[in-house]
Amino acid sequence: MVLLVFVYNLPQLFPVTQPLLGVPFIAGLVSMTVTEAAYMAEIHRGGLLSVAKGQSEAGHALSFSFIGIQRLIVIPQAFRISLPTLINEYITIIKLSSILSVVSLPELLLTGQRLYAQNFLVMETLLAVAVYYVMVVTVFTWLFRALENRLDIQRKRPQTLSEAECQALRQRPAGAERREQHPGRQRRAAGARSAGHSQILGAA
């Protein structure tokens, strides 16, 4: 319905949009964007509301700014929560692209219709179109599933030290790590000591 409004009704109400919306690709892109933007916004809204309020309060307790809380705490968790629903919506968009054939946009279904109008092999051509749709949806499903698994923190293993590394840390002297972390401070202290010795010798 939105597609038909953008293609047929809107150019009549606003003739200035005729050169732009007269192109099937642009008309289909604008109509699909307007239609799916509402669903996407609601999905992201649900993800943001699903993040516990205590997460923001913890960010305030750590003196994070509002932008820092949203960027580092809230939005990553909301994206992980809403990712399965986003994947379903993206797959739906791929399948809904067949609607664009009503405005003569040469997508997959319209191409199949033109083919079986020439070879009269209706069932065979539509079966091939269905196979292509299944292939495209399957590839995108695998990609989105890999992304979901990558962002799933429950699948990540905590990094631990090996037994040899733990033994080396136990045998290290207490002040060795501190001296390794501040080599510049050691050099400044050594320089100060040498300067002090020079002053003492000069006074003597």
Side-chain angles (χ1 to χ4, degrees):
M1 184 65 183
V2 177
L3 180 61
L4 297 178
V5 168
F6 271 92
V7 174
Y8 298 109
N9 299 114
L10 197 60
Q12 294 179 0
L13 295 176
F14 303 99
V16 69
T17 61
Q18 176 62 38
L20 186 63
L21 297 179
V23 181
F25 176 78
I26 297 178
L29 178 63
V30 172
S31 61
M32 292 288 290
T33 302
V34 171
T35 304
E36 295 298 326
Y39 294 101
M40 291 293 182
E42 187 63 26
I43 291 172
H44 287 294
R45 174 180 171 274
L48 291 173
L49 293 178
S50 299
V51 179
K53 186 179 179 181
Q55 300 292 322
S56 300
E57 295 176 352
H60 285 295
L62 294 174
S63 301
F64 281 22
S65 63
F66 176 78
I67 298 178
I69 292 174
Q70 298 300 318
R71 183 174 63 90
L72 300 175
I73 300 176
V74 177
I75 293 179
Q77 297 184 59
F79 182 72
R80 292 190 186 99
I81 294 172
S82 59
L83 185 59
T85 312
L86 287 174
I87 293 174
N88 293 335
E89 193 63 30
Y90 284 131
I91 299 301
T92 303
I93 292 174
I94 295 174
K95 293 185 288 187
L96 285 178
S97 62
S98 60
I99 301 177
L100 301 178
S101 61
V102 300
V103 293
S104 301
L105 183 64
E107 45 79 49
L108 188 58
L109 181 60
L110 182 59
T111 303
Q113 292 174 349
R114 291 176 178 177
L115 285 176
Y116 71 67
Q118 297 175 1
N119 55 24
F120 301 103
L121 301 175
V122 179
M123 296 302 298
E124 293 83 350
T125 305
L126 291 180
L127 181 61
V129 170
V131 170
Y132 277 112
Y133 270 113
V134 171
M135 291 174 58
V136 172
V137 170
T138 302
V139 170
F140 276 95
T141 302
W142 286 345
L143 293 177
F144 287 132
R145 186 176 299 172
L147 176 62
E148 186 177 4
N149 293 336
R150 182 177 179 83
L151 295 178
D152 190 2
I153 58 176
Q154 296 181 355
R155 294 176 177 267
K156 295 182 179 180
R157 295 182 178 179
Q159 296 182 357
T160 57
L161 298 177
S162 62
E163 186 63 29
E165 293 173 340
C166 293
Q167 189 66 24
L169 288 176
R170 295 191 190 100
Q171 296 176 356
R172 179 180 297 182
E177 184 177 356
R178 186 180 303 172
R179 289 194 298 270
E180 290 178 0
Q181 292 178 354
H182 303 284
R185 185 179 299 175
Q186 293 179 5
R187 289 193 296 269
R188 289 193 297 269
R193 286 196 298 269
S194 62
H197 289 307
S198 300
Q199 292 177 0
I200 293 173
L201 292 176

